[in-house]
Amino acid sequence: MKIVVIGGSGLIGSKLVNKLREYGHEAVPVSPNTGVNTLTGEGLTEVLKGASVVVDVSNSPSFEETVAMNFFTTATPNLLRYGQAAGVRHHVALSVVGTDRLAENRPSDAENTIRGYFRAKLAQEKLIAESSIPFSIVHATQFFEFFKNIADTSSDSTTVRLAPVLIQPMAAEDVARAVGRIAVGTPVNGIVEIGGPEQFRLDEFIRKGLLARNDPRTVVTDPSAGYFGVEIDEYTLVPGNDARLGETRFKTWLTQTAQPAANASANAVATSR
């Protein structure tokens, strides 16, 4: 089966391409350096020829609402239009658990918050659902790989302030595996939620990650801190009870990802002698 992966050189896309090839499929990664431009449509006719499935794991270059809205409402119609012309039978898109809740405006939010990005993701999902191509929208929880980004966004250099809301993060490897299985399966014409095997409090999750990486910053539990600066509820970041769960635990991932770094340091010392 030919499966075209939009955003195929990114964190999830590159892992997904490898997994699909392991399953015996013809996985074709698409990114700007492959000569395909989803915003203009350039190269889409050629790359989608003979494709059964399109998987879109691409992302906006910015969280700013205008940029994100332009990206998703331009690229998505192009993918759907060219996909329909090519006879694509399944359109899969990666989105975020809690997108509808994260898109809601609240009086407590500052202007120009990340909520605009999620409004753009909702617009993308609506376009996909209204197209004639059978589809599956995958809502994933936050990735382990981004725990430091969350800390950096909530940090004043020495202190990280985070709300004690629930989060159920997962490894990028598990995200790619789940998206791959959904891509080669029957379209659900709806949303599939995926998440990690464990729930944490957000402050606890980041505290564990920083401690494992010997990061000296102190994590302070602050109910008013929100998530990327916006107020959220207790369950905004966690999937429902019917979510498909990955297998990798955070402690395991921390150990596995620390080993390559340790090996690199050892090699650097050996080389310098």
Side-chain angles (χ1 to χ4, degrees):
M1 184 187 301
K2 180 179 178 180
I3 303 173
V4 175
V5 180
I6 310 299
S9 64
L11 173 64
I12 302 300
S14 57
K15 294 178 184 296
L16 175 59
V17 167
N18 289 336
K19 290 190 179 301
L20 290 171
R21 288 173 177 170
E22 289 174 5
Y23 300 157
H25 299 288
E26 180 189 356
V28 181
V30 170
S31 60
N33 61 14
T34 61
V36 178
N37 189 325
T38 59
L39 295 176
T40 65
E42 180 185 1
L44 284 178
T45 296
E46 293 76 13
V47 78
L48 293 178
K49 187 178 297 183
S52 298
V53 183
V54 169
V55 183
D56 186 4
V57 294
S58 64
N59 204 359
S60 166
S62 169
F63 281 152
E64 198 277 318
E65 182 169 8
T66 302
V67 176
M69 188 67 74
N70 178 69
F71 178 84
F72 289 118
T73 60
T74 301
T76 303
N78 281 338
L79 290 172
L80 294 169
R81 182 168 61 255
Y82 284 91
Q84 183 179 29
V88 168
R89 300 192 299 272
H90 191 183
H91 186 100
V92 181
L94 181 61
S95 194
V96 184
V97 162
T99 290
D100 54 341
R101 301 186 292 272
L102 287 163
E104 296 173 353
N105 273 324
R106 297 194 181 187
S108 59
D109 292 335
E111 293 183 0
N112 300 319
T113 70
I114 197 174
R115 292 200 191 277
Y117 169 81
F118 289 103
R119 284 191 284 272
K121 289 296 291 181
L122 279 181
Q124 177 196 27
E125 293 182 17
K126 185 172 185 290
L127 288 166
I128 294 169
E130 291 177 348
S131 80
S132 61
I133 302 176
F135 69 95
S136 300
I137 296 172
V138 184
H139 276 194
T141 57
Q142 184 58 271
F143 311 154
F144 293 158
E145 284 78 359
F146 291 155
F147 84 85
K148 188 176 182 298
N149 299 61
I150 298 173
D152 293 345
T153 303
S154 308
S155 175
D156 63 3
S157 76
T158 60
T159 302
V160 182
R161 295 186 177 278
L162 293 164
V165 295
L166 290 172
I167 189 170
Q168 196 166 331
M170 62 189 305
E173 193 77 18
D174 287 347
V175 176
R177 183 178 294 107
V179 172
R181 288 172 176 167
I182 292 166
V184 300
T186 303
V188 301
N189 293 317
I191 293 171
V192 179
E193 289 190 322
I194 61 175
E198 307 167 281
Q199 285 189 358
F200 301 90
R201 294 292 174 176
L202 179 58
D203 55 328
E204 173 197 8
F205 169 57
I206 301 303
R207 188 177 291 114
K208 287 178 179 292
L210 295 182
L211 182 62
R213 293 293 185 262
N214 297 314
D215 190 313
R217 287 178 291 180
T218 300
V219 176
V220 174
T221 304
D222 182 353
S224 67
Y227 180 69
F228 284 100
V230 299
E231 179 188 355
I232 58 174
D233 297 326
E234 175 87 340
Y235 298 100
T236 298
L237 304 177
V238 296
N241 293 331
D242 59 348
R244 304 181 188 184
L245 304 184
E247 299 177 356
T248 308
R249 294 180 175 274
F250 190 41
K251 182 177 181 180
T252 302
W253 179 86
L254 286 168
T255 301
Q256 291 173 340
T257 54
Q259 194 60 44
N263 290 340
S265 297
N267 289 337
V269 171
T271 303
S272 66
R273 288 176 178 172

